[in-house]
Amino acid sequence: MTDLLALTEQLCAVPSVSGEERALADVVEARLREFAGALEIIRVGHNVVARTQRGASTRIVLGGHLDTVPANDNATPRVDGDTLHGLGSADMKGGLAVLLVLAEALAHGDESRDVTLIFYEGEEVADEHNGLRHLFADRPDLVAGDMAVLLEPTGGWIEAGCQGTIHVRVAFDGARAHSARPWMGVNAVHRAAPMLARLAAHEAPTIDVDGLAYRESLQVVRVNAGIANNVVPDRCEIVVNRRYAPVCSHVDAIADTLALFADADSAEVISDSPAAAPNLTHPLVAELIAAGNLDVRPKLGWTDVARFTQHGIAAVNFGPGDPELAHTAGERVERADLDHCLRVLSKFVTA
Amino acid sequence: MTDLLALTEQLCAVPSVSGEERALADVVEARLREFAGALEIIRVGHNVVARTQRGASTRIVLGGHLDTVPANDNATPRVDGDTLHGLGSADMKGGLAVLLVLAEALAHGDESRDVTLIFYEGEEVADEHNGLRHLFADRPDLVAGDMAVLLEPTGGWIEAGCQGTIHVRVAFDGARAHSARPWMGVNAVHRAAPMLARLAAHEAPTIDVDGLAYRESLQVVRVNAGIANNVVPDRCEIVVNRRYAPVCSHVDAIADTLALFADADSAEVISDSPAAAPNLTHPLVAELIAAGNLDVRPKLGWTDVARFTQHGIAAVNFGPGDPELAHTAGERVERADLDHCLRVLSKFVTA
């Protein structure tokens, strides 16, 4: 059996920061083409899809993104015993390795279900770059199915649903003046300061949905102001990210969020993605949980499960790696976690 | 008599943004060299000094900087009746024009006082570029005198003393985390927000010195934070500019200023210049005021009068142009203001 830790290391050794997925897509495609007799292989941009076409009554979609965030002094993968450290090890080349080994099993197996494997680009950046978005728009046949699993790092739990995310660019205007005579102008930072203090003091609630506790958040992620050290700044731009529980409509969530910035000169939604309900009562989701006797918790970060849900496909997150280490310098994945994920998914798709 | 408005326009037509003073220094030097028989002309870098050497008991130093701030849609000078609009018209090529016409008078006159005219580079940028600083360090003989007048725009008033200025870079640290799980990190902007609100709400006092009201100020001039829209920022950098009245020592002013940032992770003075007392009781200052029957008000912005004062030379600001329009798109100078300044200084140096 393929060494999943070693395969994950090989994938991590191919850099694939968002926008630079070509090389990794090539590696994945080449490996999948070894099974081209048994699997249909389709490449669209730097998205690679492999699927069985047995005519089964149920199709399971398994997906993972090829791209990573920028390195954080962890660009080079490093194996230490049964642990792989490095960028992408958890988010989510461990998951990609599981999918590649599954492809081999699918090519030689006789699963009763059809399976689609999707390796896609542009997940860690603005939604316009998201490969899954483009497949849903241009090749809906490639992403169709009865249920989807995204191999985002969940530490082997089912992470159900996902919170919605809204980014707002908030601006305060002012009027420039020499900083020795500030009363001739208006300081845009000084105007913004009470709102910044209010956002910093905001305590986001934790909301129960289907017995799962969704902890919301509201974070100032960028502030930029200043022209020169002797000039009263006439513009202060702030980006705020709100994450909200799958309990209200996306339209309502946007309206509630914008209401926080009523005293700003402008507040513009620059990116947003709806929340997804947990879907725990869906038969295939329930079956996956049972197949692995898996623990369930809510997904707090946004993932493409929301996209599948929007398109009427029940979806959950289930993959190797600690989600709390994603996007940190300490990102890593354990061999046991990889093996567990492969075992559960193999059992599920062959049911 | 030379048309001062036309001469100012000629000087404004030679761009001289800080760092690019060579061309204007060449123009000034060439014009001064017409009087090289009567005046000693010395060029050091892009600083030009012209002085009489009559062996008089009193030497008056008159100075102006060659550089301007960057253009603000006002790079091309434009005369409208008796008003010259454009970058540098007030700050301070009108003053330079007055000095150039004075040079001609000095070359042909028999003033009882020696006079030194200084045209210098690098005043509008960091102090390390200041031509006067370099002359004080390398050629103190060229800047020596009993009293100095800087022809900074004062609208024909005496602007006495100057406030001190202190720039502090303040930083708050945090710990990065995904913005969907901010409790795994520490948001540096959220930590900084209470201080920003406090600074914005701060009401700087107005302080009486020798009957002059010095209005202090405290301004946030820059804020920068943010790595990516999905990442809790781990660093928030803020630059604050404080202007303080000439009433306490510079060391005390720095200590008082740094005390404002006690809750920050670091607070570093990145530039500072001491205040200068008004010097109104100095005999030569009093004589200048009497010569023009001039009104007196405090100088709020920092100018090189502080440098002369530090070196034991009483100094005041007196020049054509509205100081409140300096560094704005609406910068301009009036013919009457130029003529008045020339008349007062001619009377003063020939006393």
Side-chain angles (χ1 to χ4, degrees), chain B residues 15-286:
Chain B
S16 62
V17 172
S18 305
E20 296 162 22
E21 295 93 337
R22 178 190 295 269
L24 185 59
D26 290 347
V27 167
V28 165
E29 183 183 1
R31 189 171 175 111
L32 290 170
R33 287 213 179 274
E34 293 174 28
F35 318 115
L39 300 178
E40 185 184 11
I41 315 295
I42 307 104
R43 173 145 174 178
V44 181
H46 303 319
N47 305 293
V48 185
V49 177
R51 60 181 176 184
T52 61
Q53 292 282 39
R54 305 185 205 283
S57 60
T58 301
R59 175 174 293 278
I60 306 297
V61 179
L62 305 174
H65 59 79
L66 295 164
D67 59 324
T68 69
V69 295
N72 196 347
D73 283 331
N74 62 349
T76 305
R78 176 176 59 84
V79 172
D80 179 12
D82 286 324
T83 305
L84 171 68
H85 300 265
L87 177 66
S89 55
D91 191 9
M92 54 182 287
K93 296 185 182 181
L96 301 183
V98 168
L99 293 181
L100 288 173
V101 174
L102 259 181
E104 188 175 348
L106 292 172
H108 301 114
D110 55 351
E111 293 74 16
S112 59
R113 286 170 172 162
D114 271 316
V115 176
T116 301
L117 307 176
I118 304 176
F119 303 79
Y120 64 100
E121 62 182 331
E123 195 270 351
E124 295 287 9
V125 286
D127 196 55
E128 68 198 79
H129 304 292
N130 187 297
L132 212 47
R133 174 193 171 119
H134 294 295
L135 292 176
F136 267 108
D138 302 332
R139 291 294 305 272
D141 60 304
L142 296 182
V143 287
D146 298 291
M147 183 263 200
V149 180
L150 285 165
L151 281 84
E152 294 279 355
T154 66
W157 292 57
I158 289 286
E159 290 194 340
C162 80
Q163 298 207 123
T165 177
I166 301 167
H167 283 92
V168 182
R169 181 182 292 121
V170 182
F172 287 81
D173 293 321
R176 289 189 200 184
H178 196 289
S179 59
R181 294 179 292 278
W183 48 88
M184 299 295 294
V186 177
N187 191 315
V189 175
H190 292 202
R191 290 192 62 224
M195 191 197 80
L196 286 170
R198 210 169 61 233
L199 294 176
H202 179 87
E203 295 197 12
T206 296
I207 296 179
D208 184 287
V209 184
D210 290 359
L212 301 175
Y214 286 89
R215 185 167 173 182
E216 297 195 338
S217 67
L218 182 69
Q219 294 288 304
V220 178
V221 291
R222 290 187 194 271
V223 184
N224 283 291
I227 299 118
N229 285 354
N230 282 342
V231 178
V232 170
D234 61 351
R235 179 97 175 158
C236 181
E237 291 197 345
I238 298 162
V239 179
V240 178
N241 183 209
R242 182 176 172 226
R243 306 284 175 145
Y244 72 93
V247 75
C248 68
S249 78
H250 193 51
V251 168
D252 286 350
I254 287 176
D256 289 350
T257 306
L258 290 176
L260 296 169
F261 314 119
D263 49 347
D265 291 309
S266 66
E268 174 199 3
V269 174
I270 54 173
S271 74
D272 63 294
S273 300
N279 282 319
L280 295 183
T281 56
H282 187 282
L284 288 168
V285 172

Side-chain angles (χ1 to χ4, degrees), chain A residues 167 179 181 183-184 187 190 215 217 219-226 229-230 241 243 300-301 323-324 327, chain B residues 167 178-184 187 190 215 217 219-226 229-230 241 243 300 323-324:
Chain A
H167 282 91
S179 60
R181 292 179 294 277
W183 49 87
M184 300 294 293
N187 190 316
H190 292 203
R215 185 168 173 182
S217 67
Q219 294 287 304
V220 178
V221 292
R222 292 187 191 271
V223 185
N224 283 290
N229 285 354
N230 282 341
N241 184 209
R243 306 283 176 146
L300 300 180
E324 302 212 325
H327 301 197
Chain B
H167 283 92
H178 196 289
S179 59
R181 294 179 292 278
W183 48 88
M184 299 295 294
N187 191 315
H190 292 202
R215 185 167 173 182
S217 67
Q219 294 288 304
V220 178
V221 291
R222 290 187 194 271
V223 184
N224 283 291
N229 285 354
N230 282 342
N241 183 209
R243 306 284 175 145
L300 299 180
E324 304 213 324

Side-chain angles (χ1 to χ4, degrees), chain A:
Chain A
M1 183 167 148
T2 304
D3 181 331
L4 273 170
L5 200 73
L7 178 56
T8 305
E9 185 186 13
Q10 288 169 31
L11 298 178
C12 288
V14 182
S16 62
V17 172
S18 305
E20 296 163 21
E21 295 93 336
R22 178 190 296 270
L24 186 59
D26 290 348
V27 167
V28 165
E29 182 183 2
R31 190 173 174 109
L32 290 171
R33 288 212 178 273
E34 293 174 29
F35 317 115
L39 301 179
E40 185 184 13
I41 314 296
I42 307 104
R43 174 147 172 175
V44 181
H46 302 319
N47 305 293
V48 185
V49 177
R51 60 180 175 182
T52 60
Q53 293 282 39
R54 303 184 205 284
S57 60
T58 303
R59 176 175 291 279
I60 306 296
V61 179
L62 305 174
H65 60 79
L66 295 163
D67 59 325
T68 69
V69 296
N72 195 349
D73 283 332
N74 63 349
T76 305
R78 178 176 58 83
V79 172
D80 180 12
D82 287 323
T83 305
L84 171 68
H85 300 265
L87 177 65
S89 55
D91 192 9
M92 55 180 289
K93 296 185 182 180
L96 301 183
V98 169
L99 293 182
L100 288 174
V101 174
L102 259 181
E104 189 174 348
L106 293 173
H108 300 114
D110 56 352
E111 293 73 16
S112 58
R113 286 171 173 163
D114 270 317
V115 176
T116 302
L117 307 176
I118 304 175
F119 303 79
Y120 64 100
E121 63 183 331
E123 195 271 350
E124 296 287 9
V125 285
D127 195 57
E128 68 198 77
H129 303 293
N130 188 295
L132 213 45
R133 174 194 173 117
H134 293 296
L135 293 177
F136 268 108
D138 302 332
R139 292 294 306 269
D141 59 305
L142 296 181
V143 288
D146 298 291
M147 183 261 200
V149 180
L150 285 165
L151 281 83
E152 294 279 354
T154 65
W157 293 56
I158 290 285
E159 291 194 340
C162 80
Q163 299 208 123
T165 177
I166 300 167
H167 282 91
V168 182
R169 180 181 292 121
V170 183
F172 286 82
D173 293 320
R176 290 190 199 183
H178 196 289
S179 60
R181 292 179 294 277
W183 49 87
M184 300 294 293
V186 177
N187 190 316
V189 175
H190 292 203
R191 290 194 61 223
M195 190 197 79
L196 287 170
R198 209 168 62 231
L199 294 176
H202 180 86
E203 296 197 10
T206 296
I207 295 178
D208 184 287
V209 185
D210 289 358
L212 301 175
Y214 287 88
R215 185 168 173 182
E216 298 196 339
S217 67
L218 182 69
Q219 294 287 304
V220 178
V221 292
R222 292 187 191 271
V223 185
N224 283 290
I227 299 118
N229 285 354
N230 282 341
V231 177
V232 171
D234 61 351
R235 179 97 174 157
C236 181
E237 290 197 347
I238 298 163
V239 178
V240 178
N241 184 209
R242 181 175 172 226
R243 306 283 176 146
Y244 72 92
V247 76
C248 68
S249 77
H250 193 52
V251 169
D252 286 350
I254 288 177
D256 290 351
T257 306
L258 290 176
L260 296 168
F261 314 120
D263 49 347
D265 291 310
S266 66
E268 174 198 3
V269 175
I270 55 173
S271 74
D272 64 293
S273 300
N279 282 320
L280 295 183
T281 57
H282 187 282
L284 288 167
V285 172
E287 192 185 311
L288 172 62
I289 293 168
N293 191 24
L294 302 173
D295 291 316
V296 180
R297 63 187 173 196
K299 182 69 186 176
L300 300 180
W302 189 89
T303 79
D304 273 307
V305 299
R307 195 182 310 277
F308 281 102
T309 301
Q310 270 185 285
H311 287 87
I313 304 170
V316 294
N317 302 285
F318 171 64
D322 183 343
E324 302 212 325
L325 295 177
H327 301 197
T328 76
E331 182 175 355
R332 61 181 180 266
V333 72
E334 307 289 335
R335 180 188 300 280
D337 208 4
L338 294 166
D339 290 342
H340 171 251
C341 181
L342 177 61
R343 203 161 52 240
V344 172
L345 289 177
S346 298
K347 182 174 172 190
F348 178 56
V349 299
T350 55

